[in-house]
Amino acid sequence: MRLFRFSSFRRTLLAIFSATFLAVALTACGKSEASLQDVNGIDLSGATFGDGFQLKDPDGRVRTLEDFKGKVVLMFFGFTQCPDVCPTALVNATQIKSLMGADADKLQVLFVTVDPERDTPEVLREYTQAFDPSFLGLYGDLQETAAVAKAYRVYYAKVPTGNTYTMEHTALTYVFDREGTLRMALRYEQTPEESVEDIRKVLELN
């Protein structure tokens, strides 16, 4: 898997996107769910967005959150040609899974592409399985991708680079409890150990 240097300018942009998301998300949360206490990530208990999706897996099957009930779901939006942020997020996910020990099988990692023009089902399968065979890539067409990103308040944009392009996107990982309820967003800068602390609190909810 080829990795490229990711500029400090792009890192700064991603930090701004995440900070903007944080301000919006916190104001969007209601009181219907008990808040998570002392977490390293962003508590989204009671959020009024992100209540589901319908996307395809590499086998062409339509997937929803219902398919993963009983597991804590980590969902990250990215693209397979991402030079740094996406590989780092998925490497962190493999470390999180390892640190979960006996609870590792209670975790499902989903990678939603924001670049369906290049991320074909075959490319998605090869990419996610290079990190862990259990990781699952999901995709939609351009309209479905825009709709699910909007539903989860994810920013993404195509940025021309010479004769090709890259994608800017929000660098957060959503965490759903075992009933499929959005509970938290893990920050990109969190360590795997900090993320495991947060995920264990989500596991204790149901």
Side-chain angles (χ1 to χ4, degrees), residues 92-118:
N92 284 345
T94 65
Q95 294 173 342
I96 288 167
K97 186 176 176 182
S98 177
L99 290 168
M100 293 290 292
D103 290 327
D105 62 349
K106 298 175 183 177
L107 198 66
Q108 176 63 56
V109 175
L110 304 179
F111 179 83
V112 180
T113 180
V114 295
D115 186 18
E117 293 176 279
R118 295 184 297 192

Side-chain angles (χ1 to χ4, degrees), residues 68-184:
F68 309 105
K69 273 203 170 182
K71 295 190 176 186
V72 168
V73 172
L74 305 187
M75 185 167 74
F76 183 82
F77 287 78
F79 65 114
T80 64
Q81 295 193 39
C82 181
D84 185 283
V85 170
C86 302
T88 299
L90 291 177
V91 167
N92 284 345
T94 65
Q95 294 173 342
I96 288 167
K97 186 176 176 182
S98 177
L99 290 168
M100 293 290 292
D103 290 327
D105 62 349
K106 298 175 183 177
L107 198 66
Q108 176 63 56
V109 175
L110 304 179
F111 179 83
V112 180
T113 180
V114 295
D115 186 18
E117 293 176 279
R118 295 184 297 192
D119 289 346
T120 65
E122 294 76 16
V123 168
L124 269 178
R125 188 198 312 277
E126 181 179 357
Y127 186 74
T128 57
Q129 291 190 354
F131 294 95
D132 187 282
S134 72
F135 291 4
L136 186 63
L138 298 176
Y139 70 95
D141 60 24
L142 290 174
Q143 292 73 29
E144 291 165 340
T145 301
V148 74
K150 182 178 179 181
Y152 284 90
R153 302 191 176 179
V154 168
Y155 169 87
Y156 73 99
K158 183 185 290 189
V159 180
T161 57
N163 61 355
T164 183
Y165 66 90
T166 187
M167 303 293 292
E168 299 285 8
H169 60 90
T170 302
L172 293 168
T173 299
Y174 286 110
V175 182
F176 300 82
D177 68 23
R178 287 187 279 183
E179 292 298 319
T181 301
L182 180 60
R183 291 292 190 166
M184 185 187 305

Side-chain angles (χ1 to χ4, degrees), residues 4-11 14 82-85 166 168:
F4 300 88
R5 185 177 298 279
F6 199 64
S7 72
S8 60
F9 175 68
R10 294 189 189 277
R11 287 185 186 277
L14 285 169
C82 181
D84 185 283
V85 170
T166 187
E168 299 285 8

